[in-house]
Amino acid sequence: MSLNESYPLMRHFQRELEGFHQALSVQQRSLKEGYVLLDALWRDADHQAIAVMLETVMAENDAYLKTDAPVFEDHIARKLQQLARYLRGNG
């Protein structure tokens, strides 16, 4: 595959990655809101075990969205800029 063919595929990947991060962020907010509502009402024997699992998932999602996601998006953006410069003959 040539670099000319790679560029639109990388742009598509960039858009998909950004869309994934946006969707994850929306779902994370929804999960937190639902958890707050449920936590106030739910008091059976499984509450604590499931609460720990949900809190762990929410913490891991938050960490990914705050640290890894921006790094991945910046990386692909830089690579696309470099490739675009190269393809224009300015690289």
Side-chain angles (χ1 to χ4, degrees):
M1 177 181 301
S2 73
L3 291 177
N4 285 324
E5 295 168 323
S6 296
Y7 185 82
L9 296 174
M10 288 178 64
R11 284 284 298 135
H12 176 73
F13 175 74
Q14 180 185 39
R15 287 189 298 274
E16 291 291 318
L17 182 62
E18 290 168 352
F20 169 75
H21 290 154
Q22 184 177 19
L24 181 60
S25 181
V26 168
Q27 290 299 318
Q28 178 74 348
R29 279 193 300 275
S30 178
L31 180 61
K32 286 180 179 182
E33 290 167 3
Y35 178 69
V36 168
L37 294 173
L38 182 62
D39 192 51
L41 302 172
W42 187 21
R43 296 288 175 230
D44 69 10
D46 294 325
H47 172 260
Q48 185 60 35
I50 293 175
V52 169
M53 289 183 340
L54 283 172
E55 289 167 6
T56 300
V57 167
M58 289 185 294
E60 289 173 356
N61 284 347
D62 280 338
Y64 174 81
L65 288 167
K66 289 177 185 168
T67 57
D68 295 331
V71 170
F72 295 150
E73 289 181 11
D74 289 346
H75 177 76
I76 192 74
R78 275 192 317 276
K79 292 301 175 189
L80 280 164
Q81 288 171 349
Q82 292 168 348
L83 182 54
R85 279 194 307 270
Y86 176 80
L87 292 173
R88 287 190 309 265
N90 302 333

